[in-house]
Amino acid sequence: MDIVFTDGTDPRFVEICNELDDYLNLLAGGEENRKQYVQYNTLEHVHDVVLIVENGVAAACGGFRDYLPGTAEMKRVFTRPPYRRHGYAKTVIAHLEQRAKAKGYGKVVLETGAHMQSAIAMYQSQGYRIIPNYGQYVGMAESVCLEKQI
């Protein structure tokens, strides 16, 4: 397992994020059911990315971008199905938090789907707490927002 620090333009990150979008579309019953979210998941502002690479393949990923002064927004955390249940998402999150703290952020926020109960539980196990929906997610009942002081 290799930990790779990169940015949102890395082709490996783009590829795994495309797989994440396919997975989310499958869960939602098609991209048309996710259209209000697609605009918030573009990669051009994701400036810090962590990849876990196994045998040359990006197995897991995540990144963050500026949200507010002192607050980073975690984006695109995903582990490909064959690599799940090995703690990769927790490793990605820990590295993203360390990097965000080193860059002067004091808090991380994120959004996930209400139907993603295992993801919500995993974030909570890492010290995240559910908060009222923030920013663009206000009024979106299918969103769950979380935060953590780092």
Side-chain angles (χ1 to χ4, degrees):
M1 168 177 73
D2 294 315
I3 307 290
V4 177
F5 296 94
T6 186
D7 63 31
T9 65
D10 188 306
R12 297 168 296 182
F13 182 60
V14 173
E15 179 185 353
I16 196 171
C17 285
N18 288 336
E19 188 171 325
L20 168 58
D21 287 332
D22 291 343
Y23 174 72
L24 294 172
N25 288 340
L26 180 67
L27 292 177
E31 186 172 340
E32 63 278 356
N33 294 328
R34 294 183 49 247
K35 64 183 172 195
Q36 66 193 34
Y37 292 97
V38 172
Q39 63 186 321
Y40 304 126
N41 290 320
T42 61
L43 304 181
E44 67 264 11
H45 299 294
V46 179
H47 47 78
D48 286 88
V49 169
V50 173
L51 297 174
I52 294 181
V53 178
E54 284 280 355
N55 299 317
V57 175
C61 69
F64 68 85
R65 64 182 180 188
D66 294 317
Y67 179 65
L68 293 172
T71 302
E73 182 180 29
M74 194 175 300
K75 302 296 290 179
R76 313 308 289 175
V77 175
F78 181 65
T79 302
R80 285 184 159 136
Y83 302 96
R84 291 184 181 161
R85 308 196 89 53
H86 292 92
Y88 287 0
K90 291 176 183 177
T91 299
V92 166
I93 290 166
H95 283 284
L96 290 172
E97 290 172 355
Q98 290 170 2
R99 198 159 184 92
K101 188 172 185 175
K103 288 190 165 203
Y105 295 98
K107 179 169 61 172
V108 175
V109 296
L110 63 93
E111 180 274 343
T112 190
H115 62 285
M116 305 285 288
Q117 291 300 309
S118 61
I120 294 167
M122 187 270 304
Y123 287 121
Q124 289 178 313
S125 78
Q126 299 307 296
Y128 285 79
R129 65 179 188 87
I130 295 174
I131 59 171
N133 289 2
Y134 63 86
Q136 63 267 28
Y137 304 110
V138 171
M140 293 185 179
E142 55 281 339
S143 288
V144 173
C145 294
L146 299 101
E147 75 173 11
K148 179 180 180 181
Q149 302 294 322
I150 55 172

